[in-house]
Amino acid sequence: NNEAITAWNEFHDFIKEAQDRANTAYNNQTFFVDLHGHGNSIQRIELGYLLYDNELELSDNTLNTTKYINYSSIKNLALSNQNNYTHAELLRGSKSFGTMLSANNYPSVPSQSIPYPGTNTNYFSGGYNTANHTSYSDGVSMNGLQMELNYTHIRDSSANRTAFSVGFARAIIDFIN
C-alpha cells in the first residue's frame, strides 16, 4: 500500500530529523527512548537494550565482552562514558537507568534490584525502532532503549502519569549525567 509506505518513511524520517536537531542543539548529549505501554501481568518497567532475557542473565564479565556490547542499544555509551562504567554497570549497576527509575519508586528491569527479567516472563527486549535509531545500528551515534511501561502506578490515572513524568525526567537526567 503506497500510503502505508509513505507513512512509514515519513515516521522514520521524522525520527532521524528529530535526532539530528537534538544532537545539534545539545552537542550530542542526547538519548533515544521508544516509549510503550505493556500488558504484562508483572507490574514493572521493562527496559529494552536489544538484549534478550536469557542474555541479561549472563555474568557481568560476559556482558562486558565486545560481542554483547555490539548487540546493545547503548553500545557507544558502553565504549565511551565519562565515568568509565562498564556495559553491565550501565545495564544493571548502581548508576543504571533502571536503578535510577527504581529509586524513584518505579521498579524496573534490568536494574540493581531486578538484574534480569527471568525467562518466560514475556519481557520485551526492544524492537525495530530501537535497533534502527540507536548505536546498535551502524552509523548511528545515539544511544537509547525501548521502555515498556506497566499500567498500575504509572498509566492508570492522570495523577500517576504526571508523577511518573517527573520521576522519569529525574532518572533520565541523572543517567545521562
Side-chain angles (χ1 to χ4, degrees):
N1 181 299
N2 286 335
E3 289 180 18
I5 291 168
T6 298
W8 174 266
N9 289 332
E10 287 176 354
F11 173 73
H12 289 286
D13 289 347
F14 177 79
I15 292 172
K16 174 78 170 96
E17 181 181 337
Q19 287 179 308
D20 290 346
R21 285 183 180 192
N23 280 333
T24 299
Y26 297 100
N27 196 28
N28 293 313
Q29 300 297 308
T30 55
F31 195 80
F32 176 81
V33 177
D34 187 16
L35 188 64
H36 297 259
H38 73 68
N40 192 332
S41 62
I42 303 171
Q43 295 299 295
R44 64 185 180 196
I45 296 172
E46 297 178 353
L47 303 174
Y49 296 95
L50 301 175
L51 297 167
Y52 296 112
D53 51 4
N54 61 320
E55 292 172 325
L56 289 171
E57 292 187 29
L58 297 170
S59 71
D60 287 357
N61 286 340
T62 301
L63 287 172
N64 291 333
T65 63
T66 301
K67 175 182 177 180
Y68 289 97
I69 292 170
N70 284 337
Y71 290 160
S72 176
S73 62
I74 57 169
K75 173 175 61 176
N76 288 344
L77 186 60
L79 294 173
S80 177
N81 64 79
Q82 65 186 12
N83 295 309
N84 295 313
Y85 293 128
T86 66
H87 184 229
E89 288 173 319
L90 292 167
L91 292 170
R92 60 186 179 204
S94 64
K95 301 295 182 181
S96 69
F97 182 54
T99 299
M100 292 178 183
L101 283 169
S102 295
N104 282 286
N105 203 28
Y106 298 102
S108 302
V109 62
S111 64
Q112 196 168 37
S113 58
I114 313 170
Y116 51 85
T119 53
N120 301 317
T121 61
N122 294 318
Y123 168 76
F124 197 74
S125 62
Y128 183 90
N129 292 341
T130 305
N132 286 277
H133 296 291
T134 67
S135 60
Y136 171 83
S137 184
D138 290 338
V140 179
S141 62
M142 188 174 284
N143 297 284
L145 54 78
Q146 180 165 328
M147 287 181 71
E148 295 282 337
L149 303 179
N150 53 289
Y151 185 72
T152 304
H153 190 57
I154 295 178
R155 299 183 293 127
D156 56 353
S157 72
S158 179
N160 283 342
R161 288 187 295 275
T162 299
F164 173 74
S165 68
V166 172
F168 168 79
R170 280 189 198 122
I172 197 72
I173 290 167
D174 288 345
F175 182 70
I176 289 172
N177 287 333

